Amino acid sequence: GQGLSRGDPMALSPGQGWSCRAVLGEGHQRTVRRVAWSPCGSYLASASFDATTCIWKRHEDDFQCITTLEGHENEVKSVAWAPSGTLLATCSRDKSVWVWEVDEEEEYECVSVLNSHTQDVKHVVWHPNQELLASASYDDTVKLYQEEEDDWVCCATLEGHESTVWSVAFDRSGERLASCSDDKTVRVWRRYKPGNEEGVACSDNEPTWKCVCTLSGYHTRTIYDVAWCHLTGALATACGDDAIRVFEESATGDPRQPTFALAAHDSAGPAVTLHCSASVLSTSVEAEPSRKKRPRVSFSRHMSLMARAVFPVSFLE
Amino acid sequence: MASPFSGVLQLTDLDDYIGPSQECIKPVKVEKKPGKAAAKIRIEADGSYFQINQDGGAQKLEKAKITLNDCLACSGCITSAESVLITQQSHEELCRMLAFNKTAAPTEQKLVVVSVSPQSRASLAAKCKMGVLETAKKLTAFLKSLGKCVHYVFDTTFSRNFSLLESQREFVKRFRKQAEDQKALPMLASACPGWICYVEKTHGSFIIPYISTAKSPQQVMGSLVKGYFAEQQHLTPAQIYHVSVMPCYDKKLEASRPDFFSQEYQTRDVDCVITTGEVLKLLEQEGVSLSDVNPAPLDTMFGSAAEEELTSHAGGGSGGYLEHVYRHAAKELFGIQVDTIHYKPLKNKDFQEVTLEKDGVVLLQFASAYGFRNIQNLMQKLKRGKSPYHYVEVMACPSGCLNGGGQIKLDGESSKDQLQHVERLYESLKTEIPEKNWTVNELYERWLGGAESGRAAEALHTQYHAVEKSSAGFNIKW
């Protein structure tokens, strides 16, 4: 019973609206760890344990591998496209984060190799509207990067988690970031710009990020993924205890100390179902249980095409 | 501990976590005797192992030994071998050697020679707020005062002449045979050990043929000191302890390459490499401020009156390979005399192009690529057959050797300002053309027997070895 429960208007099951359009079997030699669609929807990047990242160009249902990004020393854990569509980020167990640039001739070049983390980097995510990159690592930190002169630099390190940070997600505005960890908490961080009215100190005239909320006590195992709905502001987490949880921000909360309450929680054995509340009707929330019991969650505005890989499931935004 | 190696070298074989299956895979040769019964092992009180044979006889078992060089050559487990090597080659090691020398019997004593790189000198000059000539003289005096055992202090600018000349000659040869040899061009510079080690471990036999075989100034100095100089001093190479002062830690790995170890004399060409920062530590240890030291005359390898003038080479703080190869090639291949070289910056300041054009035709296309990201892009272009260059000066460190990991960090200045400061000092010297150096020519003629001789090839060229990667599938971490 891996299916989603029938009868629920929001739940979809395989065979009811989903059909496999393509299988990209000739690209990688090992586990494909993550896939990501380019903002324009014409390209798919696949990150693999074989240390490479393939870029596939889509012509309707046909996919061609147009290039393979090499350079990481070992397993690539994540790949993400910047909103501009010209930058791509990858991260790996080799502790580095790479930024790549693509030109009009579909030529990819490495623009920067960032060695800020001291351990395996699990995930990279771009800011929704700025060229700011976030990474999550086994070294218990989240790091942020931006371009400075002709190179990329680590401009902030978010410390606080007590164990591996598995994933990060920006809210719609990009002023807040949520991180989830092996320490079973979700932390919400807020960016304070220099000269902010709250009086938060900023060094070197650079914004500073402070943890404004910690969600603890809700999860009983490692939290592997977190997503922040850009439509409703709800937070969803995927946890090693087989549950997906949705948190909603309290309307009366102080922006400096927001509070989130558990909105929906369902863990019905191996089949994970999520029943959505009315407030998220315009979005779809889809979770696919994996054999490793680490479901991945992400919100999307529309789902015209879905990519499936061995592990995560991701959607076109 | 943050690794002090260049970013390029750091990126290979990284993982501080040793998985249970990541054991040493270095095969150790064992003499196996045919026999069926399982051997019994007895451990003695002193920890040695004895194998008890069926007939009761005991055989002492040899300890499996892995040398540091074995570790460096393998990419099996972790690279702590490299960190062990650093401690083997630190300024502490030098002090130990000097202390030993002081009390050793005359037959056991070694002649201590220190070769200082111009980049280290410029960094020290910036730190101690002096000019480079003054720094050189005072450094000479300081080093000679260490345990009263340092006998000579040389400048690797001298040996760099050979590296440049050999690179120039090699390029012209390769250019002329590019029709027959697919891997003749592009020729890639060989002076940077961070770059060399990276290629050997990551790209191996694909890229190695493109790399120039010319030795780096450090290793040419090694050949000169343990070869020519030893002969002049009537000593065997093993009776000289050769120290070099370098701007980075990767040079320590270069000195310990088996290719630079003489089997015949059981001695390394360079025995110990210390960084500029380690020289500073030595100064602090001795409670000496370099600017207060009384200057000593500079040494020269050649017995004649000490040269009071320091010289340098044109073409930047990493040795000037691109410029020298370019000028020589333009002259030799096309009869063109180049005066000023125009650099065209590409994607970033560490990737620049130089083009020789005549009547709209591109004759030579050279580039300098510093730092890991540029090396990456160069490698990818090469692998896809899309590299337009004839020669590339590759260096592992962004901004080149003046910005090496072993250079002194100054307080109160931004790293950009510091670097510019060191660059100004480095470039404050008059530059000379290697072909015009009389002593260099003499050495080619008299000691090496000509530039094309076998002796020159042996003393001034080296080879590279691809490192086999062991693919351990056991260390997947989700």
Side-chain angles (χ1 to χ4, degrees), chain A residues 82-84 126-133 145-146 152 170 173-175 191 193 209:
Chain A
S84 64
W126 288 93
H127 188 279
N129 46 56
Q130 287 169 5
E131 282 185 347
L132 180 70
L133 181 67
Y145 313 87
Q146 65 194 16
W152 283 70
F170 282 98
S173 68
E175 292 305 310
R191 174 164 63 183
K193 301 217 168 98
W209 291 76

Short mmCIF file of all heavy atoms in Angstrom, two decimals, chain A residues 82-84 126-133 145-146 152 170 173-175 191 193 209:
data_model
loop_
_atom_site.label_atom_id
_atom_site.label_comp_id
_atom_site.label_asym_id
_atom_site.label_seq_id
_atom_site.Cartn_x
_atom_site.Cartn_y
_atom_site.Cartn_z
N ALA A 82 19.53 29.07 -10.23
CA ALA A 82 19.20 30.40 -9.73
C ALA A 82 17.99 30.91 -10.50
O ALA A 82 17.79 30.49 -11.65
CB ALA A 82 20.39 31.34 -9.91
N PRO A 83 17.22 31.81 -9.91
CA PRO A 83 16.02 32.32 -10.60
C PRO A 83 16.34 32.93 -11.97
O PRO A 83 15.51 32.89 -12.87
CB PRO A 83 15.47 33.40 -9.66
CG PRO A 83 16.27 33.36 -8.43
CD PRO A 83 17.35 32.38 -8.54
N SER A 84 17.55 33.47 -12.16
CA SER A 84 17.91 34.08 -13.44
C SER A 84 18.04 33.05 -14.55
O SER A 84 17.98 33.37 -15.72
CB SER A 84 19.24 34.81 -13.31
OG SER A 84 20.28 33.88 -13.03
N TRP A 126 18.74 28.45 -3.87
CA TRP A 126 18.92 29.85 -4.22
C TRP A 126 17.83 30.71 -3.59
O TRP A 126 16.70 30.28 -3.40
CB TRP A 126 18.85 30.03 -5.74
CG TRP A 126 20.05 29.51 -6.46
CD1 TRP A 126 20.20 28.26 -7.01
CD2 TRP A 126 21.28 30.20 -6.71
NE1 TRP A 126 21.43 28.14 -7.60
CE2 TRP A 126 22.12 29.32 -7.44
CE3 TRP A 126 21.75 31.48 -6.42
CZ2 TRP A 126 23.40 29.68 -7.86
CZ3 TRP A 126 23.03 31.84 -6.84
CH2 TRP A 126 23.84 30.94 -7.55
N HIS A 127 18.16 31.92 -3.34
CA HIS A 127 17.20 32.93 -2.89
C HIS A 127 16.17 33.13 -4.01
O HIS A 127 16.52 33.05 -5.17
CB HIS A 127 17.99 34.23 -2.63
CG HIS A 127 17.20 35.31 -1.99
ND1 HIS A 127 16.34 36.14 -2.70
CD2 HIS A 127 17.14 35.70 -0.69
CE1 HIS A 127 15.81 37.01 -1.85
NE2 HIS A 127 16.26 36.76 -0.64
N PRO A 128 14.91 33.38 -3.66
CA PRO A 128 13.87 33.48 -4.70
C PRO A 128 14.07 34.59 -5.73
O PRO A 128 13.64 34.44 -6.86
CB PRO A 128 12.58 33.71 -3.90
CG PRO A 128 13.02 34.10 -2.54
CD PRO A 128 14.34 33.49 -2.31
N ASN A 129 14.71 35.70 -5.33
CA ASN A 129 14.85 36.75 -6.34
C ASN A 129 16.22 37.44 -6.37
O ASN A 129 16.42 38.36 -7.14
CB ASN A 129 13.74 37.79 -6.20
CG ASN A 129 13.56 38.20 -4.75
OD1 ASN A 129 14.50 38.64 -4.10
ND2 ASN A 129 12.35 38.03 -4.24
N GLN A 130 17.16 36.97 -5.57
CA GLN A 130 18.51 37.56 -5.61
C GLN A 130 19.54 36.48 -5.90
O GLN A 130 19.28 35.31 -5.66
CB GLN A 130 18.86 38.16 -4.24
CG GLN A 130 18.13 39.42 -3.93
CD GLN A 130 18.30 39.80 -2.47
OE1 GLN A 130 19.03 39.15 -1.73
NE2 GLN A 130 17.63 40.84 -2.08
N GLU A 131 20.70 36.91 -6.34
CA GLU A 131 21.74 35.91 -6.57
C GLU A 131 22.49 35.65 -5.27
O GLU A 131 23.63 36.04 -5.08
CB GLU A 131 22.64 36.31 -7.74
CG GLU A 131 21.90 36.01 -9.02
CD GLU A 131 22.63 36.20 -10.32
OE1 GLU A 131 23.72 36.82 -10.31
OE2 GLU A 131 22.12 35.74 -11.36
N LEU A 132 21.76 35.01 -4.39
CA LEU A 132 22.27 34.65 -3.07
C LEU A 132 22.04 33.15 -2.93
O LEU A 132 20.95 32.66 -3.22
CB LEU A 132 21.48 35.41 -2.00
CG LEU A 132 21.86 35.19 -0.53
CD1 LEU A 132 23.21 35.80 -0.21
CD2 LEU A 132 20.79 35.80 0.37
N LEU A 133 23.05 32.45 -2.49
CA LEU A 133 22.98 31.00 -2.42
C LEU A 133 23.09 30.53 -0.97
O LEU A 133 23.84 31.10 -0.19
CB LEU A 133 24.14 30.41 -3.23
CG LEU A 133 24.27 28.89 -3.33
CD1 LEU A 133 23.10 28.31 -4.11
CD2 LEU A 133 25.57 28.53 -4.01
N TYR A 145 26.14 32.59 0.36
CA TYR A 145 27.20 33.04 -0.54
C TYR A 145 26.66 34.07 -1.52
O TYR A 145 25.52 34.00 -1.96
CB TYR A 145 27.74 31.87 -1.38
CG TYR A 145 28.03 30.62 -0.59
CD1 TYR A 145 27.03 29.69 -0.35
CD2 TYR A 145 29.32 30.36 -0.11
CE1 TYR A 145 27.30 28.53 0.36
CE2 TYR A 145 29.58 29.19 0.60
CZ TYR A 145 28.57 28.29 0.83
OH TYR A 145 28.83 27.14 1.53
N GLN A 146 27.54 35.02 -1.88
CA GLN A 146 27.16 35.97 -2.94
C GLN A 146 28.41 36.38 -3.69
O GLN A 146 29.53 36.11 -3.26
CB GLN A 146 26.46 37.19 -2.34
CG GLN A 146 27.36 38.01 -1.45
CD GLN A 146 26.57 39.01 -0.62
OE1 GLN A 146 25.35 38.93 -0.48
NE2 GLN A 146 27.27 39.97 -0.06
N TRP A 152 33.01 34.49 -5.86
CA TRP A 152 31.94 34.29 -4.88
C TRP A 152 32.56 34.08 -3.51
O TRP A 152 33.64 33.49 -3.39
CB TRP A 152 31.11 33.06 -5.27
CG TRP A 152 30.19 33.37 -6.40
CD1 TRP A 152 30.54 33.62 -7.70
CD2 TRP A 152 28.78 33.52 -6.34
NE1 TRP A 152 29.44 33.91 -8.45
CE2 TRP A 152 28.34 33.85 -7.65
CE3 TRP A 152 27.83 33.41 -5.32
CZ2 TRP A 152 27.00 34.07 -7.95
CZ3 TRP A 152 26.49 33.62 -5.62
CH2 TRP A 152 26.08 33.94 -6.93
N PHE A 170 13.82 29.17 1.56
CA PHE A 170 13.56 30.60 1.74
C PHE A 170 12.06 30.83 1.71
O PHE A 170 11.33 30.12 1.01
CB PHE A 170 14.18 31.42 0.60
CG PHE A 170 15.66 31.62 0.71
CD1 PHE A 170 16.55 30.82 0.02
CD2 PHE A 170 16.18 32.65 1.50
CE1 PHE A 170 17.93 31.02 0.11
CE2 PHE A 170 17.55 32.87 1.59
CZ PHE A 170 18.43 32.05 0.90
N SER A 173 9.54 36.13 0.36
CA SER A 173 10.24 37.41 0.28
C SER A 173 11.75 37.24 0.24
O SER A 173 12.48 38.13 -0.17
CB SER A 173 9.88 38.27 1.50
OG SER A 173 10.45 37.67 2.67
N GLY A 174 12.22 36.12 0.72
CA GLY A 174 13.67 35.92 0.79
C GLY A 174 14.29 36.57 2.02
O GLY A 174 15.49 36.53 2.20
N GLU A 175 13.42 37.16 2.88
CA GLU A 175 13.96 37.77 4.09
C GLU A 175 14.10 36.75 5.21
O GLU A 175 14.71 37.03 6.24
CB GLU A 175 13.05 38.92 4.55
CG GLU A 175 13.04 40.11 3.61
CD GLU A 175 14.42 40.67 3.32
OE1 GLU A 175 15.18 40.93 4.28
OE2 GLU A 175 14.76 40.84 2.12
N ARG A 191 16.70 37.87 8.13
CA ARG A 191 17.79 38.75 7.70
C ARG A 191 17.56 40.15 8.22
O ARG A 191 16.49 40.73 8.03
CB ARG A 191 17.87 38.76 6.17
CG ARG A 191 18.88 39.77 5.65
CD ARG A 191 19.26 39.55 4.23
NE ARG A 191 18.16 39.71 3.29
CZ ARG A 191 18.30 39.49 1.98
NH1 ARG A 191 19.46 39.10 1.48
NH2 ARG A 191 17.27 39.66 1.17
N LYS A 193 19.06 43.94 7.88
CA LYS A 193 19.98 44.74 7.08
C LYS A 193 20.66 45.78 7.97
O LYS A 193 20.13 46.14 9.02
CB LYS A 193 19.20 45.44 5.95
CG LYS A 193 18.50 44.45 5.02
CD LYS A 193 18.53 44.90 3.57
CE LYS A 193 18.10 43.79 2.63
NZ LYS A 193 16.67 43.90 2.25
N TRP A 209 22.08 37.49 9.86
CA TRP A 209 20.94 36.59 9.99
C TRP A 209 20.84 36.10 11.42
O TRP A 209 21.83 35.67 12.01
CB TRP A 209 21.10 35.38 9.04
CG TRP A 209 20.99 35.75 7.59
CD1 TRP A 209 21.94 36.37 6.83
CD2 TRP A 209 19.88 35.53 6.73
NE1 TRP A 209 21.49 36.56 5.54
CE2 TRP A 209 20.23 36.04 5.46
CE3 TRP A 209 18.61 34.95 6.90
CZ2 TRP A 209 19.36 35.99 4.37
CZ3 TRP A 209 17.75 34.89 5.81
CH2 TRP A 209 18.12 35.41 4.56
#
